[in-house]
Amino acid sequence: MTSATNLSELTGDYVIDGSHSRIGFVARHAMVTKVRGAFNEFDGKISIDGDKPENTTASVSLKVASIDTRNAQRDGHLATNDFLDAENHPEITFVSTSAKQVDDGNFEISGDLTIKGVTKNITIPFAFEGVAVDPYNQTRVGFEGSHTINRKDYGVTWNAPLETGGVLVGEKIVLEFEISAVKQA
C-alpha cells in the first residue's frame, strides 16, 4: 500500500472502471431483513493530488434505470416516481466539493449528492485499498467507502404499513462504494 510519504506517486486523473467497481446500497425491508442492490451502469472520474490531497476531486453519475436488486418487479418499482423516478430523473450524481486526508490510508470526500432532483452535501469516508499495475500495464487504485443517508431527505417517501407494525421499507439507506480506477495517460 502506498503511504502518506509517497502519496504523490498517485497524482493524476483516473476513470472509474465500471466492470471492476460496485456502487450499491442496503435498505431495511419489512423491518426484519435487508435488501442489497447496485447500479450496473455508472461512470466517474477522480483527480488525485498526492502532494495536496485537499485538492483531490471526484464525480460520479449513476443510471437510475440500471438499478439491480436481483428482482425485476422490485427494480421496476424502484424506478417509478414512488422511489427514484427514472423517467424524470435518469441519473443520481455526486460531485465533490472538498477532500481531506484523515491519516495514512483514510480520506473523507465531501460533495453534493443529487437524488430525484434534491441535492444534499454529504461526507463519505474512504479507505485507500492500494495501487497496482495490471497485466495491461495500467495503474489502478482502489478505494472503499460507505455512507448512510435518509431517503426521505431526497423526496423518496413511499412506504407501506405492516400488519405487525412498522413499515415495509426503512428510511436509512447505506450507500456502498467499491472503486477501482484506472490512471489516464
Side-chain angles (χ1 to χ4, degrees):
M1 178 184 289
T2 299
S3 69
T5 56
N6 59 2
L7 199 59
S8 62
E9 295 173 12
L10 300 180
T11 297
D13 295 325
Y14 294 78
V15 172
I16 295 175
D17 178 359
S19 62
H20 293 98
S21 299
R22 178 180 176 274
I23 299 178
F25 58 90
V26 180
R28 177 90 32 210
H29 181 261
M31 310 291 291
V32 296
T33 190
K34 294 177 182 174
V35 169
R36 295 183 185 279
F39 294 90
N40 292 329
E41 294 178 31
F42 56 87
D43 56 54
K45 297 177 181 177
I46 305 167
S47 182
I48 298 175
D49 186 334
D51 295 322
K52 293 184 178 182
E54 64 275 10
N55 292 335
T56 294
T57 62
S59 63
V60 179
S61 177
L62 315 172
K63 305 296 182 204
V64 172
S66 75
I67 197 166
D68 182 359
T69 63
R70 301 183 310 134
N71 179 295
Q73 183 177 357
R74 178 174 47 226
D75 296 345
H77 190 202
L78 290 171
T80 70
N81 190 40
D82 282 349
F83 288 95
L84 298 174
D85 192 10
E87 184 176 332
N88 294 305
H89 303 283
E91 295 182 337
I92 293 172
T93 61
F94 176 82
V95 177
S96 68
T97 56
S98 68
K100 175 182 168 186
Q101 183 173 1
V102 177
D103 59 31
D104 246 10
N106 294 291
F107 301 85
E108 291 179 347
I109 305 294
S110 296
D112 293 330
L113 175 65
T114 303
I115 301 173
K116 203 173 176 180
V118 177
T119 302
K120 302 278 183 184
N121 193 271
I122 65 170
T123 298
I124 307 167
F126 279 98
F128 176 62
E129 297 297 322
V131 59
V133 176
D134 68 18
Y136 303 102
N137 207 33
Q138 296 177 313
T139 300
R140 291 181 173 271
V141 292
F143 294 92
E144 289 187 7
S146 67
H147 180 77
T148 301
I149 63 169
N150 184 322
R151 65 187 180 88
K152 288 186 173 185
D153 291 345
Y154 294 89
V156 183
T157 59
W158 183 90
N159 225 329
L162 300 174
E163 274 185 35
T164 55
V167 291
L168 186 62
V169 183
E171 291 180 16
K172 294 189 186 300
I173 308 296
V174 178
L175 306 176
E176 300 175 322
F177 305 90
E178 298 164 16
I179 304 298
S180 176
V182 177
K183 191 171 190 177
Q184 302 301 289

